[in-house]
């Protein structure tokens, strides 16, 4: 069987985890966490960066720090992972789903303004497949209506929009380091913070409502409970695991891009014949090869495609069931405007195996099976 995903592994992870254990520093904010923070800030030009226990908890920190409250509304796509919406719902705010563009599967920036009411407080831009939303119009709408912008860049680590790193463009950016993402620590994530004023607030929220971070920097002589908070910091063992991958971020990125580009070239014939629709990368976007997907004619053809690949020993998967049609989506949110693309395009989409160090002969086997599907 060719798996759909293999978690990235570079070879240095165990040595670094052992070092964390030998340091007797396995709680949060130890030496490896500090290395990861410094790397993220430096590499992406983020004023603030904090590792979190998941992409989901990074999103929760972002919605809390955005000041969302019961009765507020947040605009987001329905074509996303449940975490984007649960982070809104946990604050008591209402997710308002807006339609996507069929080319990138990202929020259609031209539909957003119509969904704004006097209760709207934020826009969540999900960079699907590590390909950026069109952020300039989104920032412009947000500025004109006084809204916060939260980037769900769970899939977008190392991608850029007009030269700016995803996660650093809005008020808050959320990375995921789950094992299915490009860089991993098992479960983990990071919150990127633009406004320096929010950095200390984020540190307090992440450290059980205490000012322990300023205490550790020697800026106050004792630490105390100062605000609401929770515990969002991961163990330094997990950060050690991640560090091995951040050190090799460029190699991992290039390796994934090589597989992505190889798929893309190999399916151009099928796209030309109108059998498949391939992903679009807008001109001002540099992506990170988080995923390779193709679009079939409809749900029926996609079902046949996935089961044909399975018969050839290849695991291909679909996602997402649009959130507005899920039981919790019906309960907590609403779809604004017409669902022109969200449901129909998500029904057509199938993801192909793609992971760090994918064997060329496995990639060839996938490419051959996809061609054979259309020959049968
Ligand atoms: C993976 C993912 C998340 C959640 O990240 P976790 O680290 O698994 O909590 C959120 N949003 C999107 C778009 C994702 O792909």
């Amino acid at each position: 069987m060719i798996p759909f995903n293999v978690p990235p592994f570079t070879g240095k992870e165990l040595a670094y985890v052992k070092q964390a254990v030998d340091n007797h520093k396995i709680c949060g904010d130890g030496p490896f966490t500090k290395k990861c923070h410094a790397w993220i800030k430096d590499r992406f030009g983020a004023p603030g960066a904090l590792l979190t226990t998941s992409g989901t908890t990074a999103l929760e920190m972002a919605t809390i720090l955005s000041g969302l409250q019961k009765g507020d509304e947040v605009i987001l796509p329905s074509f996303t992972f449940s975490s984007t919406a649960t982070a809104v719902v946990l604050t008591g705010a209402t997710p308002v789903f807006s339609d996507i563009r069929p080319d990138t599967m990202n929020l259609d920036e031209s539909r957003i303004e119509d969904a704004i009411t006097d209760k709207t407080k934020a826009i969540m831009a999900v960079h699907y497949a590590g390909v950026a939303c069109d952020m300039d119009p989104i920032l412009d709408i947000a500025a004109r209506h006084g809204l916060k912008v939260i980037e769900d860049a769970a899939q977008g680590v190392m991608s850029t929009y007009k030269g700016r790193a995803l996660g650093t463009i809005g008020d808050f950016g959320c990375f995921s380091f789950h094992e299915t993402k490009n860089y991993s620590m098992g479960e983990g994530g990071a919150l990127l913070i633009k406004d320096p004023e929010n950095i200390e607030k984020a540190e307090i929220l992440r450290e059980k409502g205490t000012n322990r971070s300023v205490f550790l920097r020697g800026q106050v002589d004792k630490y105390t409970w100062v605000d609401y908070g929770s515990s969002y910091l991961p163990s330094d063992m997990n950060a050690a695991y991640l560090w091995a991958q951040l050190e090799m971020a460029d190699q991992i990125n290039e390796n994934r891009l090589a597989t992505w580009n190889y798929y893309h070239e190999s399916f151009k014939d099928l796209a030309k014949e109108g059998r498949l629709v391939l992903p679009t990368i807008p001109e001002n976007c540099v992506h990170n090869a988080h995923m390779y997907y193709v679009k079939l004619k409809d749900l029926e053809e996609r079902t046949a495609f996935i089961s044909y690949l399975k018969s050839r020993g290849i695991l291909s998967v679909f996602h997402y069931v649009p959130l507005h049609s899920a039981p919790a989506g019906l309960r907590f949110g609403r779809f604004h405007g017409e669902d022109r693309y969200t449901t129909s395009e998500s029904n057509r989409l199938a993801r192909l195996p793609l992971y760090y160090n994918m064997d060329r002969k496995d990639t060839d086997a996938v490419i051959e099976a996809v061609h054979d599907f259309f020959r049968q």
Side-chain angles (χ1 to χ4, degrees), residues 54-56 59 80-81 83-84 126 152 154-155 176 178 181 188 320:
S54 65
T56 304
L59 286 162
T80 181
F81 191 57
S83 303
T84 324
V126 181
D152 181 340
Q155 303 177 7
S176 169
H178 186 261
K181 301 303 201 289
Y320 303 100

Side-chain angles (χ1 to χ4, degrees), residues 59 74-77 79-80 84 106-107 112 122-128 131-135 138-139 148-155 166-167 169-170 172-174:
L59 286 162
V74 177
I75 296 167
L76 72 163
F79 181 73
T80 181
T84 324
N106 285 332
L107 265 186
I112 293 172
I123 301 168
M124 292 174 99
V126 181
H127 305 298
Y128 182 67
V131 179
C133 298
D134 196 359
M135 291 306 291
I138 292 175
L139 293 176
K148 293 274 193 270
V149 175
I150 298 170
E151 294 179 73
D152 181 340
Q155 303 177 7
L166 301 194
I169 302 167
F172 299 101
C174 305

Side-chain angles (χ1 to χ4, degrees), residues 67-192:
L68 295 179
Q69 288 179 0
K70 194 169 164 51
D72 292 343
E73 293 180 355
V74 177
I75 296 167
L76 72 163
S78 171
F79 181 73
T80 181
F81 191 57
S82 58
S83 303
T84 324
T86 54
V88 174
V89 171
L90 280 176
T91 65
T94 301
V96 175
F97 302 109
S98 187
D99 209 10
I100 54 168
R101 300 162 40 149
D103 59 348
T104 57
M105 306 297 282
N106 285 332
L107 265 186
D108 181 343
E109 63 283 356
S110 72
R111 307 289 314 147
I112 293 172
E113 206 144 16
D114 196 55
I116 293 176
T117 70
D118 55 10
K119 294 179 181 157
T120 309
K121 292 283 153 47
I123 301 168
M124 292 174 99
V126 181
H127 305 298
Y128 182 67
V131 179
C133 298
D134 196 359
M135 291 306 291
D136 278 344
I138 292 175
L139 293 176
D140 175 60
I141 292 164
R144 280 189 285 108
H145 295 271
L147 311 178
K148 293 274 193 270
V149 175
I150 298 170
E151 294 179 73
D152 181 340
Q155 303 177 7
V157 182
M158 296 280 281
S159 296
T160 61
Y161 168 81
K162 298 187 181 174
R164 286 174 275 166
L166 301 194
T168 66
I169 302 167
D171 296 283
F172 299 101
C174 305
F175 286 171
S176 169
F177 299 121
H178 186 261
E179 72 163 34
T180 52
K181 301 303 201 289
N182 292 24
Y183 309 94
S184 178
M185 53 199 277
E187 298 279 354
L191 178 70
L192 279 62

Side-chain angles (χ1 to χ4, degrees), residues 38-52:
W39 187 91
I40 293 171
K41 287 192 270 190
D42 178 59
R43 175 81 197 216
F44 302 126
L50 295 169
L51 289 190
T52 58

